[in-house]
Short mmCIF file of all heavy atoms in Angstrom, two decimals:
data_model
loop_
_atom_site.label_atom_id
_atom_site.label_comp_id
_atom_site.label_asym_id
_atom_site.label_seq_id
_atom_site.Cartn_x
_atom_site.Cartn_y
_atom_site.Cartn_z
N ASP A 27 -98.13 -124.61 56.99
CA ASP A 27 -97.17 -123.54 56.66
C ASP A 27 -97.87 -122.46 55.87
O ASP A 27 -97.70 -121.28 56.20
CB ASP A 27 -96.05 -124.14 55.78
CG ASP A 27 -94.77 -124.25 56.59
OD1 ASP A 27 -94.88 -124.57 57.77
OD2 ASP A 27 -93.69 -124.07 55.97
N ARG A 31 -98.34 -118.67 57.29
CA ARG A 31 -97.75 -117.55 56.52
C ARG A 31 -98.80 -116.56 56.07
O ARG A 31 -98.55 -115.36 55.98
CB ARG A 31 -96.92 -118.08 55.33
CG ARG A 31 -95.66 -118.79 55.78
CD ARG A 31 -94.75 -119.08 54.63
NE ARG A 31 -93.67 -119.98 55.06
CZ ARG A 31 -92.65 -119.63 55.83
NH1 ARG A 31 -92.53 -118.36 56.20
NH2 ARG A 31 -91.75 -120.55 56.20
N ALA A 58 -104.55 -106.28 59.94
CA ALA A 58 -105.13 -107.61 59.85
C ALA A 58 -106.41 -107.72 60.72
O ALA A 58 -107.47 -108.27 60.27
CB ALA A 58 -104.12 -108.68 60.28
N ALA A 70 -117.17 -101.50 65.17
CA ALA A 70 -115.88 -101.32 65.86
C ALA A 70 -116.19 -101.25 67.36
O ALA A 70 -117.30 -100.98 67.77
CB ALA A 70 -115.22 -100.05 65.37
N ILE A 75 -111.26 -112.12 70.99
CA ILE A 75 -110.54 -113.09 71.85
C ILE A 75 -109.24 -113.44 71.12
O ILE A 75 -109.22 -113.69 69.91
CB ILE A 75 -111.39 -114.37 72.03
CG1 ILE A 75 -112.65 -114.05 72.83
CG2 ILE A 75 -110.54 -115.45 72.72
CD1 ILE A 75 -113.63 -115.22 72.91
N ILE A 84 -98.13 -116.79 78.83
CA ILE A 84 -99.25 -115.88 79.09
C ILE A 84 -98.78 -114.53 79.52
O ILE A 84 -99.42 -113.52 79.25
CB ILE A 84 -100.20 -116.46 80.14
CG1 ILE A 84 -100.67 -117.88 79.71
CG2 ILE A 84 -101.38 -115.59 80.40
CD1 ILE A 84 -101.52 -118.60 80.76
N PRO A 89 -99.76 -108.37 82.14
CA PRO A 89 -98.70 -108.12 83.16
C PRO A 89 -98.99 -108.80 84.48
O PRO A 89 -98.12 -108.91 85.34
CB PRO A 89 -98.75 -106.58 83.31
CG PRO A 89 -100.15 -106.19 82.96
CD PRO A 89 -100.58 -107.17 81.91
N VAL A 99 -106.73 -121.37 84.54
CA VAL A 99 -105.88 -121.79 83.43
C VAL A 99 -105.46 -123.24 83.63
O VAL A 99 -105.57 -124.09 82.76
CB VAL A 99 -104.63 -120.87 83.29
CG1 VAL A 99 -103.57 -121.50 82.38
CG2 VAL A 99 -105.05 -119.51 82.72
N PHE A 102 -108.66 -125.59 83.26
CA PHE A 102 -109.53 -125.67 82.06
C PHE A 102 -108.85 -125.44 80.73
O PHE A 102 -109.47 -125.57 79.68
CB PHE A 102 -110.68 -124.68 82.23
CG PHE A 102 -111.59 -124.97 83.35
CD1 PHE A 102 -111.73 -124.11 84.43
CD2 PHE A 102 -112.33 -126.15 83.39
CE1 PHE A 102 -112.55 -124.37 85.49
CE2 PHE A 102 -113.19 -126.44 84.47
CZ PHE A 102 -113.30 -125.56 85.53
N PRO A 104 -105.95 -126.55 77.88
CA PRO A 104 -106.74 -126.04 76.77
C PRO A 104 -108.20 -126.46 76.91
O PRO A 104 -108.45 -127.59 77.33
CB PRO A 104 -106.09 -126.70 75.53
CG PRO A 104 -105.16 -127.75 76.06
CD PRO A 104 -105.00 -127.58 77.52
N ILE A 110 -110.83 -112.97 80.68
CA ILE A 110 -110.56 -111.53 80.42
C ILE A 110 -109.58 -111.09 81.51
O ILE A 110 -109.86 -111.20 82.70
CB ILE A 110 -111.89 -110.70 80.53
CG1 ILE A 110 -112.95 -111.29 79.57
CG2 ILE A 110 -111.60 -109.26 80.23
CD1 ILE A 110 -112.66 -111.31 78.13
N GLU A 112 -106.03 -108.21 82.41
CA GLU A 112 -105.37 -106.91 82.05
C GLU A 112 -104.53 -107.09 80.80
O GLU A 112 -103.84 -108.11 80.70
CB GLU A 112 -104.50 -106.52 83.26
CG GLU A 112 -104.28 -105.07 83.46
CD GLU A 112 -103.40 -104.86 84.66
OE1 GLU A 112 -103.76 -105.32 85.75
OE2 GLU A 112 -102.36 -104.22 84.51
N VAL A 121 -107.23 -104.80 69.08
CA VAL A 121 -107.74 -106.15 69.26
C VAL A 121 -108.75 -106.23 70.40
O VAL A 121 -109.63 -107.08 70.41
CB VAL A 121 -106.56 -107.15 69.49
CG1 VAL A 121 -105.94 -107.00 70.83
CG2 VAL A 121 -106.98 -108.56 69.23
N VAL A 137 -106.26 -129.08 65.39
CA VAL A 137 -105.91 -128.25 64.20
C VAL A 137 -105.67 -126.81 64.61
O VAL A 137 -104.74 -126.19 64.16
CB VAL A 137 -107.05 -128.36 63.12
CG1 VAL A 137 -106.77 -127.39 61.96
CG2 VAL A 137 -107.16 -129.80 62.63
N LEU A 142 -101.81 -122.45 65.69
CA LEU A 142 -101.33 -121.45 66.65
C LEU A 142 -99.85 -121.61 66.96
O LEU A 142 -99.09 -120.67 67.01
CB LEU A 142 -102.18 -121.51 67.93
CG LEU A 142 -103.65 -121.11 67.74
CD1 LEU A 142 -104.45 -121.54 68.97
CD2 LEU A 142 -103.74 -119.60 67.57
N ALA A 172 -116.72 -126.37 58.58
CA ALA A 172 -116.01 -125.57 57.54
C ALA A 172 -116.94 -125.03 56.48
O ALA A 172 -116.86 -123.88 56.03
CB ALA A 172 -114.86 -126.37 56.92
N HIS A 174 -119.98 -124.16 56.80
CA HIS A 174 -120.77 -123.01 57.32
C HIS A 174 -119.93 -121.71 57.11
O HIS A 174 -120.50 -120.69 56.75
CB HIS A 174 -121.03 -123.13 58.80
CG HIS A 174 -121.89 -124.31 59.21
ND1 HIS A 174 -121.94 -124.71 60.53
CD2 HIS A 174 -122.69 -125.13 58.50
CE1 HIS A 174 -122.75 -125.76 60.62
NE2 HIS A 174 -123.23 -126.00 59.38
N LEU A 182 -115.26 -113.61 49.63
CA LEU A 182 -113.83 -113.41 49.88
C LEU A 182 -113.03 -114.38 48.99
O LEU A 182 -113.35 -115.52 48.81
CB LEU A 182 -113.56 -113.63 51.36
CG LEU A 182 -114.11 -112.64 52.37
CD1 LEU A 182 -113.59 -112.87 53.77
CD2 LEU A 182 -113.85 -111.20 51.90
N LEU A 187 -108.96 -115.02 52.35
CA LEU A 187 -109.40 -115.97 53.39
C LEU A 187 -109.10 -117.42 52.99
O LEU A 187 -109.48 -117.87 51.93
CB LEU A 187 -110.90 -115.83 53.66
CG LEU A 187 -111.53 -116.88 54.61
CD1 LEU A 187 -111.00 -116.73 56.03
CD2 LEU A 187 -113.07 -116.71 54.61
N ASP A 205 -114.59 -112.81 83.39
CA ASP A 205 -113.72 -111.67 83.63
C ASP A 205 -112.98 -111.85 84.94
O ASP A 205 -113.57 -111.83 86.03
CB ASP A 205 -114.58 -110.37 83.67
CG ASP A 205 -113.72 -109.11 83.76
OD1 ASP A 205 -112.54 -109.21 84.16
OD2 ASP A 205 -114.22 -108.03 83.47
N PRO A 213 -114.82 -111.56 93.04
CA PRO A 213 -115.16 -112.77 92.35
C PRO A 213 -115.07 -112.57 90.81
O PRO A 213 -115.31 -111.44 90.34
CB PRO A 213 -116.64 -113.02 92.77
CG PRO A 213 -117.14 -111.68 93.16
CD PRO A 213 -115.96 -110.89 93.66
N ALA A 229 -116.06 -125.28 91.72
CA ALA A 229 -115.31 -126.39 92.26
C ALA A 229 -113.79 -126.09 92.28
O ALA A 229 -113.06 -126.62 93.07
CB ALA A 229 -115.56 -127.65 91.40
N VAL A 245 -119.92 -107.12 75.17
CA VAL A 245 -119.75 -108.45 74.73
C VAL A 245 -120.83 -108.69 73.68
O VAL A 245 -122.00 -108.73 74.02
CB VAL A 245 -119.92 -109.48 75.91
CG1 VAL A 245 -119.70 -110.89 75.44
CG2 VAL A 245 -118.96 -109.10 77.02
N GLY A 247 -121.85 -111.08 72.03
CA GLY A 247 -122.72 -112.23 72.22
C GLY A 247 -123.70 -112.00 73.38
O GLY A 247 -124.58 -112.81 73.60
N LEU A 267 -147.06 -125.61 73.61
CA LEU A 267 -146.72 -126.08 72.27
C LEU A 267 -147.90 -126.58 71.40
O LEU A 267 -148.05 -126.10 70.26
CB LEU A 267 -145.70 -127.26 72.43
CG LEU A 267 -144.78 -127.55 71.25
CD1 LEU A 267 -144.04 -126.32 70.71
CD2 LEU A 267 -143.78 -128.62 71.61
N ILE A 302 -138.66 -131.27 63.59
CA ILE A 302 -137.24 -131.52 63.67
C ILE A 302 -137.01 -131.98 65.10
O ILE A 302 -137.31 -131.20 66.03
CB ILE A 302 -136.43 -130.27 63.37
CG1 ILE A 302 -136.75 -129.76 61.94
CG2 ILE A 302 -134.92 -130.52 63.52
CD1 ILE A 302 -136.18 -128.36 61.63
N GLN A 334 -139.01 -124.90 74.21
CA GLN A 334 -138.05 -124.39 75.17
C GLN A 334 -137.50 -125.54 76.02
O GLN A 334 -138.26 -126.33 76.55
CB GLN A 334 -138.78 -123.42 76.11
CG GLN A 334 -137.89 -122.44 76.78
CD GLN A 334 -138.74 -121.22 77.16
OE1 GLN A 334 -139.87 -121.31 77.54
NE2 GLN A 334 -138.10 -120.07 77.05
N ALA A 343 -126.47 -122.36 79.20
CA ALA A 343 -125.81 -121.83 78.03
C ALA A 343 -126.68 -121.94 76.76
O ALA A 343 -126.79 -120.99 75.97
CB ALA A 343 -124.43 -122.51 77.79
N ASP A 346 -129.51 -119.43 77.01
CA ASP A 346 -128.96 -118.09 76.73
C ASP A 346 -128.93 -117.84 75.21
O ASP A 346 -129.41 -116.83 74.73
CB ASP A 346 -127.52 -117.99 77.32
CG ASP A 346 -126.78 -116.73 76.87
OD1 ASP A 346 -127.07 -115.69 77.43
OD2 ASP A 346 -125.93 -116.84 75.96
#
Side-chain angles (χ1 to χ4, degrees):
D27 254 34
R31 289 190 192 286
I75 295 171
I84 303 174
V99 165
F102 298 115
I110 308 298
E112 207 179 305
V121 73
V137 173
L142 293 165
H174 297 165
L182 294 187
L187 173 65
D205 186 341
V245 182
L267 202 55
I302 300 169
Q334 202 157 37
D346 170 78

